[in-house]
Short mmCIF file of all heavy atoms in Angstrom, two decimals:
data_model
loop_
_atom_site.label_atom_id
_atom_site.label_comp_id
_atom_site.label_asym_id
_atom_site.label_seq_id
_atom_site.Cartn_x
_atom_site.Cartn_y
_atom_site.Cartn_z
N LYS A 24 0.84 -1.19 0.00
CA LYS A 24 0.00 0.01 0.00
C LYS A 24 0.87 1.25 -0.01
O LYS A 24 0.61 2.21 -0.73
CB LYS A 24 -0.92 -0.02 1.22
CG LYS A 24 -1.93 1.10 1.21
CD LYS A 24 -2.88 0.95 2.40
CE LYS A 24 -3.85 2.10 2.45
NZ LYS A 24 -4.70 2.01 3.65
N GLU A 25 1.94 1.25 0.78
CA GLU A 25 2.91 2.38 0.84
C GLU A 25 3.54 2.59 -0.52
O GLU A 25 3.70 3.71 -1.00
CB GLU A 25 3.95 2.15 1.93
CG GLU A 25 5.07 3.17 1.92
CD GLU A 25 4.68 4.53 2.43
OE1 GLU A 25 3.72 4.63 3.18
OE2 GLU A 25 5.36 5.52 2.04
N MET A 26 3.96 1.47 -1.16
CA MET A 26 4.61 1.54 -2.46
C MET A 26 3.67 2.10 -3.51
O MET A 26 4.07 2.94 -4.33
CB MET A 26 5.13 0.16 -2.89
CG MET A 26 6.30 -0.32 -2.08
SD MET A 26 6.79 -2.01 -2.41
CE MET A 26 7.12 -1.96 -4.14
N ILE A 27 2.42 1.68 -3.48
CA ILE A 27 1.45 2.18 -4.44
C ILE A 27 1.22 3.68 -4.22
O ILE A 27 1.19 4.44 -5.16
CB ILE A 27 0.15 1.36 -4.37
CG1 ILE A 27 0.34 -0.05 -4.91
CG2 ILE A 27 -0.99 2.07 -5.18
CD1 ILE A 27 -0.80 -0.99 -4.68
N GLY A 28 1.09 4.07 -2.96
CA GLY A 28 0.85 5.49 -2.63
C GLY A 28 2.01 6.34 -3.10
O GLY A 28 1.82 7.40 -3.71
N SER A 29 3.24 5.91 -2.78
CA SER A 29 4.40 6.72 -3.19
C SER A 29 4.54 6.76 -4.72
O SER A 29 4.90 7.77 -5.30
CB SER A 29 5.68 6.20 -2.56
OG SER A 29 6.00 4.92 -2.97
N SER A 30 4.20 5.66 -5.37
CA SER A 30 4.28 5.62 -6.84
C SER A 30 3.29 6.60 -7.46
O SER A 30 3.65 7.30 -8.42
CB SER A 30 3.97 4.18 -7.34
OG SER A 30 4.92 3.28 -6.86
N ILE A 31 2.11 6.65 -6.90
CA ILE A 31 1.07 7.55 -7.45
C ILE A 31 1.50 9.01 -7.23
O ILE A 31 1.40 9.82 -8.14
CB ILE A 31 -0.29 7.27 -6.82
CG1 ILE A 31 -0.83 5.93 -7.37
CG2 ILE A 31 -1.29 8.39 -7.14
CD1 ILE A 31 -2.07 5.43 -6.67
N VAL A 32 1.98 9.33 -6.03
CA VAL A 32 2.40 10.71 -5.74
C VAL A 32 3.56 11.10 -6.60
O VAL A 32 3.52 12.17 -7.25
CB VAL A 32 2.69 10.87 -4.24
CG1 VAL A 32 3.32 12.24 -3.96
CG2 VAL A 32 1.42 10.71 -3.39
N ILE A 33 4.60 10.30 -6.61
CA ILE A 33 5.81 10.69 -7.39
C ILE A 33 5.49 10.71 -8.90
O ILE A 33 5.91 11.63 -9.61
CB ILE A 33 6.96 9.72 -7.07
CG1 ILE A 33 7.46 9.95 -5.63
CG2 ILE A 33 8.13 9.88 -8.06
CD1 ILE A 33 8.42 8.94 -5.10
N GLY A 34 4.71 9.73 -9.37
CA GLY A 34 4.34 9.74 -10.76
C GLY A 34 3.50 10.95 -11.14
O GLY A 34 3.70 11.57 -12.21
N SER A 35 2.58 11.32 -10.26
CA SER A 35 1.73 12.50 -10.51
C SER A 35 2.53 13.80 -10.51
O SER A 35 2.35 14.65 -11.40
CB SER A 35 0.63 12.59 -9.45
OG SER A 35 -0.22 11.48 -9.53
N VAL A 36 3.45 13.94 -9.55
CA VAL A 36 4.29 15.14 -9.52
C VAL A 36 5.14 15.22 -10.78
O VAL A 36 5.25 16.27 -11.42
CB VAL A 36 5.15 15.17 -8.25
CG1 VAL A 36 6.19 16.27 -8.33
CG2 VAL A 36 4.26 15.38 -7.02
N THR A 37 5.74 14.09 -11.19
CA THR A 37 6.52 14.04 -12.39
C THR A 37 5.72 14.46 -13.61
O THR A 37 6.17 15.28 -14.41
CB THR A 37 7.11 12.63 -12.60
OG1 THR A 37 7.89 12.25 -11.48
CG2 THR A 37 7.93 12.53 -13.88
N PHE A 38 4.51 13.92 -13.70
CA PHE A 38 3.64 14.27 -14.85
C PHE A 38 3.28 15.75 -14.83
O PHE A 38 3.37 16.41 -15.84
CB PHE A 38 2.38 13.40 -14.82
CG PHE A 38 1.39 13.72 -15.89
CD1 PHE A 38 1.65 13.33 -17.22
CD2 PHE A 38 0.25 14.43 -15.61
CE1 PHE A 38 0.73 13.67 -18.22
CE2 PHE A 38 -0.67 14.76 -16.60
CZ PHE A 38 -0.42 14.36 -17.90
N LEU A 39 2.87 16.28 -13.67
CA LEU A 39 2.47 17.67 -13.58
C LEU A 39 3.63 18.62 -13.91
O LEU A 39 3.46 19.62 -14.61
CB LEU A 39 1.91 17.99 -12.21
CG LEU A 39 0.54 17.32 -11.90
CD1 LEU A 39 0.15 17.55 -10.46
CD2 LEU A 39 -0.53 17.84 -12.84
N VAL A 40 4.82 18.31 -13.42
CA VAL A 40 5.97 19.17 -13.72
C VAL A 40 6.28 19.06 -15.20
O VAL A 40 6.59 20.09 -15.83
CB VAL A 40 7.18 18.79 -12.85
CG1 VAL A 40 8.44 19.55 -13.29
CG2 VAL A 40 6.90 19.10 -11.39
N ALA A 41 6.22 17.88 -15.75
CA ALA A 41 6.49 17.70 -17.19
C ALA A 41 5.58 18.54 -18.08
O ALA A 41 5.95 18.98 -19.15
CB ALA A 41 6.43 16.22 -17.58
N LEU A 42 4.34 18.76 -17.57
CA LEU A 42 3.41 19.62 -18.34
C LEU A 42 3.94 21.04 -18.45
O LEU A 42 3.46 21.79 -19.33
CB LEU A 42 2.06 19.63 -17.65
CG LEU A 42 1.22 18.36 -17.78
CD1 LEU A 42 -0.08 18.50 -17.00
CD2 LEU A 42 0.93 18.01 -19.21
N GLY A 43 4.92 21.41 -17.64
CA GLY A 43 5.50 22.72 -17.72
C GLY A 43 6.14 23.03 -19.08
O GLY A 43 6.36 24.19 -19.42
N THR A 44 6.42 22.00 -19.85
CA THR A 44 6.99 22.24 -21.21
C THR A 44 6.03 22.99 -22.10
O THR A 44 6.47 23.58 -23.08
CB THR A 44 7.41 20.93 -21.89
OG1 THR A 44 6.27 20.10 -22.00
CG2 THR A 44 8.49 20.22 -21.12
N ILE A 45 4.76 22.98 -21.74
CA ILE A 45 3.80 23.71 -22.61
C ILE A 45 3.60 25.16 -22.18
O ILE A 45 2.80 25.87 -22.74
CB ILE A 45 2.40 22.99 -22.61
CG1 ILE A 45 1.79 22.98 -21.21
CG2 ILE A 45 2.53 21.59 -23.19
CD1 ILE A 45 0.35 22.51 -21.17
N LEU A 46 4.43 25.63 -21.22
CA LEU A 46 4.35 27.02 -20.78
C LEU A 46 5.14 27.93 -21.69
O LEU A 46 5.98 28.68 -21.26
CB LEU A 46 4.83 27.13 -19.33
CG LEU A 46 4.01 26.38 -18.29
CD1 LEU A 46 4.66 26.50 -16.93
CD2 LEU A 46 2.58 26.92 -18.25
N PHE A 47 4.83 27.87 -22.94
CA PHE A 47 5.47 28.79 -23.90
C PHE A 47 4.35 29.55 -24.58
O PHE A 47 3.20 29.20 -24.58
CB PHE A 47 6.34 28.04 -24.89
CG PHE A 47 5.61 26.98 -25.70
CD1 PHE A 47 4.93 27.34 -26.84
CD2 PHE A 47 5.60 25.67 -25.28
CE1 PHE A 47 4.23 26.40 -27.60
CE2 PHE A 47 4.93 24.73 -26.01
CZ PHE A 47 4.22 25.08 -27.16
N ARG A 48 4.79 30.65 -25.20
CA ARG A 48 3.81 31.47 -25.95
C ARG A 48 3.75 30.98 -27.38
O ARG A 48 4.81 30.80 -28.03
CB ARG A 48 4.25 32.94 -25.90
CG ARG A 48 4.28 33.47 -24.49
CD ARG A 48 4.83 34.88 -24.47
NE ARG A 48 6.19 34.91 -25.03
CZ ARG A 48 7.12 35.82 -24.76
NH1 ARG A 48 6.81 36.78 -23.92
NH2 ARG A 48 8.29 35.76 -25.29
N PRO A 49 2.55 30.79 -27.92
CA PRO A 49 2.47 30.34 -29.32
C PRO A 49 3.21 31.22 -30.28
O PRO A 49 3.72 30.73 -31.29
CB PRO A 49 0.94 30.36 -29.58
CG PRO A 49 0.32 30.15 -28.22
CD PRO A 49 1.29 30.87 -27.26
N ARG A 50 3.34 32.50 -30.00
CA ARG A 50 4.06 33.42 -30.89
C ARG A 50 5.53 33.09 -30.96
O ARG A 50 6.24 33.60 -31.83
CB ARG A 50 3.77 34.86 -30.53
CG ARG A 50 4.39 35.28 -29.22
CD ARG A 50 4.15 36.77 -28.99
NE ARG A 50 4.77 37.17 -27.76
CZ ARG A 50 4.23 37.91 -26.83
NH1 ARG A 50 2.99 38.33 -26.98
NH2 ARG A 50 4.86 38.22 -25.75
#
């Protein structure tokens, strides 16, 4: 249960930070 919880949290944080690549201006 601890492993699943840490996997979800770390995976989610990784995914959310990776979304930062879209923080550019289309122009």
Side-chain angles (χ1 to χ4, degrees):
K24 187 176 178 183
E25 171 72 25
M26 289 172 58
I27 290 171
S29 63
S30 298
I31 290 171
V32 170
I33 291 171
S35 297
V36 169
T37 301
F38 177 75
L39 290 173
V40 172
L42 288 178
T44 59
I45 63 171
L46 297 175
F47 58 85
R48 298 175 300 205
R50 68 177 181 226

